[in-house]
Amino acid sequence: MAERAQTGPGNPIRVFLLDDHEVVRRGVRDLLDDEPDITVAGEASTVAQALARVPALRPDVAVLDVRLPDGDGVTVCRELRSHLPELACLMLTSFDDEEALLDSIMAGASGYVLKQIRGSELVSAVRTVAGGQSLLDPSATTRLLSRLRDGREDDAEPDALPGLTEREREIL
């Protein structure tokens, strides 16, 4: 990942927020705006708003909710990163979902954290991804890595049709 511009009080980390819940956006905005080296440059509650506003505002970090009523943050991440490769996307979600984590990584997200995170940890996560590093939720990452190492897609699938031979399953 490319080195990001130096940040600090004179040149703060510019953050964009995407979450469909106003209370969450306000809380995250207040939390981040309290930091001298971070400023919230803009926010949106829908995918369409985010895709229109982020390129114009050119933030350093986009904090994206994974699940939205009109789409998902993973798609927003992929789209934004295709036009703004220097943008760091931090996925913030309520759902401890291995698939969303993997999809986020594949879309180019720099970080993936759960909304249960403490405020100080979220601030630290923004600084981490703004600095060009990655940050993934440990519990979701552990489960995902375990599943990938085991090579299992779905434990129930082989026993789904117990009366069939291997060849019959293959044909099906």
Side-chain angles (χ1 to χ4, degrees), residues 4-71:
R4 303 206 190 287
Q6 286 295 103
T7 58
N11 190 17
I13 299 168
R14 294 172 39 82
V15 178
F16 187 89
L17 305 175
L18 170 60
D19 198 295
D20 57 315
H21 295 100
E22 179 186 9
V23 171
V24 173
R25 282 195 322 275
R26 282 187 181 197
V28 173
R29 173 187 278 278
D30 289 348
L31 180 71
L32 296 177
D33 274 342
D34 279 348
E35 299 298 316
D37 62 331
I38 300 174
T39 186
V40 176
E43 60 184 67
S45 61
T46 68
V47 168
Q49 289 171 347
L51 293 176
R53 293 177 185 167
V54 171
L57 294 170
R58 301 188 83 68
D60 302 303
V61 176
V63 177
L64 309 172
D65 190 0
V66 173
R67 295 188 183 170
L68 300 158
D70 65 332

Side-chain angles (χ1 to χ4, degrees), residues 1 76-87 89 107-109:
M1 184 172 285
V76 172
C77 175
R78 185 177 295 111
E79 180 69 22
L80 291 175
R81 297 257 310 132
S82 72
H83 298 294
L84 303 167
E86 70 283 358
L87 177 67
C89 293

